[in-house]
Amino acid sequence: MYGLVNRGIREMVIKQCGDAAWDALSEKVGLEWNDFSAMESYPDSLTYELVGAAAEMLDTPAEDILKAFGRHWVLYTARSGYGEMMDTWGDNLVEFLDSLNSLHARLRLAMPQLQPPSFEVTDVDTREKTLTLKYFSDRPALAPMVVGLLEGLGERFETPVEAEQVKEKTETGGYDEFFVRWAEETADVALPC
Ligand code: HEM
C-alpha cells in the first residue's frame, strides 16, 4: 500500500500513545527508517505487520487497531493535502459514500500503483436514515477499518454513524456488507446574532 497509509498508522500511534510507543513498534517490525514516503508503494505485508505489532504491543485485538485507524484516516487525509478532495466529493454521508469509487479513481492518476477498494451503496432510506454498503477488496481482513472509516465520516459530517457488518467475504471472494444507520445532523450551537 502507498506510504500514505503507513504514515497514517505512524501518526495515529504517536498521537495516541507517544513517540516512545512508535519507536518501540518500529523496532518490533524491524523498520530501518523512521518514516514512510507518502507517494511510494510498499508491500501490503508491511502494513499488516504494523497493525499486528501494534495489536501485540498494546494488547488489543488487531480489529480494534484497524477500527481506530479507519477513524483516524478520515481526519488524517483531510489534514494531509486531501482536505479539498474530501470537501469536493460530497456534502453529506450518502453523497460521499456514493463518490468513493470516483475519489479513489481520481487518486490513481497520481498513484498509478493504487489498488483501491470499491463500494456499492444500496437501499438508502432517508426517512429511516439507513443504507447498505458493500465493500469489495482483494485484500483480506480490513472490514473493521471500514467500520472505523464510516464512524470517522460520521464525525466529519456531524451525523453520528453506527455500522454493523452483516455479511463477510469468504476466502474465495465476495464482499463484506454493512448495515449503516446515521443520526440527525447535530444542530450547530450558534449564538443568535
Ligand atoms: C481523500 C481521502 C482518501 C484518500 C487520499 C485515500 C487513499 C487511499 C490509499 C492511498 C489507499 C491504499 C491503497 C493502495 O495503496 O493500494 C486507500 C485504501 C483504502 N481506502 Fe481510501 N482514501 C481516502 C478516503 C477513503 C474513505 C473515506 C474511505 C471510506 C470507506 C476509504 C476506504 C479505503 C479502504 C477500505 C482502503 C483499504 C484498501 C483495500 O480495501 O483494499 N478511503 N485509500
Side-chain angles (χ1 to χ4, degrees):
M1 283 201 237
Y2 270 87
L4 184 67
V5 173
N6 300 329
R7 282 189 97 161
I9 295 177
R10 174 180 182 272
E11 195 204 68
M12 174 182 76
V13 170
I14 291 177
K15 206 166 163 213
Q16 294 195 22
C17 306
D19 286 320
W22 171 254
D23 291 344
L25 186 63
S26 140
E27 198 179 321
K28 203 168 161 60
V29 173
L31 286 184
E32 284 164 9
W33 58 89
N34 185 37
D35 203 352
F36 306 89
S37 161
M39 300 304 279
E40 196 180 311
S41 186
Y42 296 81
D44 280 5
S45 54
L46 178 56
T47 308
Y48 283 97
E49 258 182 78
L50 283 171
V51 172
E56 228 173 77
M57 191 176 86
L58 301 171
D59 198 15
T60 306
E63 288 77 10
D64 289 357
I65 304 283
L66 282 167
K67 192 170 160 190
F69 179 56
R71 287 185 79 120
H72 182 74
W73 184 245
V74 175
L75 304 171
Y76 169 73
T77 47
R79 271 190 280 106
S80 306
Y82 298 93
E84 211 176 303
M85 198 165 186
M86 296 285 280
D87 288 341
T88 317
W89 293 93
D91 289 337
N92 58 55
L93 180 75
V94 181
E95 269 181 34
F96 195 85
L97 292 178
D98 263 330
S99 307
L100 275 177
N101 296 342
S102 316
L103 179 150
H104 283 101
R106 173 63 67 87
L107 284 169
R108 215 182 197 162
L109 300 177
M111 296 174 159
Q113 284 158 279
L114 195 76
Q115 290 175 273
S118 68
F119 296 91
E120 199 182 311
V121 179
T122 61
D123 307 315
V124 178
D125 184 335
T126 46
R127 218 160 50 94
E128 293 294 325
K129 299 189 171 50
T130 57
L131 58 82
T132 296
L133 181 74
K134 290 181 180 144
Y135 159 53
F136 301 81
S137 168
D138 293 336
R139 300 185 171 97
L142 296 180
M145 178 180 163
V146 175
V147 173
L149 282 158
L150 288 164
E151 291 177 359
L153 288 174
E155 234 171 87
R156 178 175 171 82
F157 292 113
E158 297 179 337
T159 164
V161 167
E162 276 174 35
E164 186 196 346
Q165 185 167 6
V166 290
K167 192 168 173 177
E168 224 174 299
K169 73 173 173 193
T170 63
E171 276 175 24
T172 52
Y175 54 86
D176 295 299
E177 186 173 301
F178 304 87
F179 180 71
V180 179
R181 183 183 292 281
W182 72 96
E184 278 302 340
E185 282 185 34
T186 348
D188 274 345
V189 185
L191 292 177
C193 49

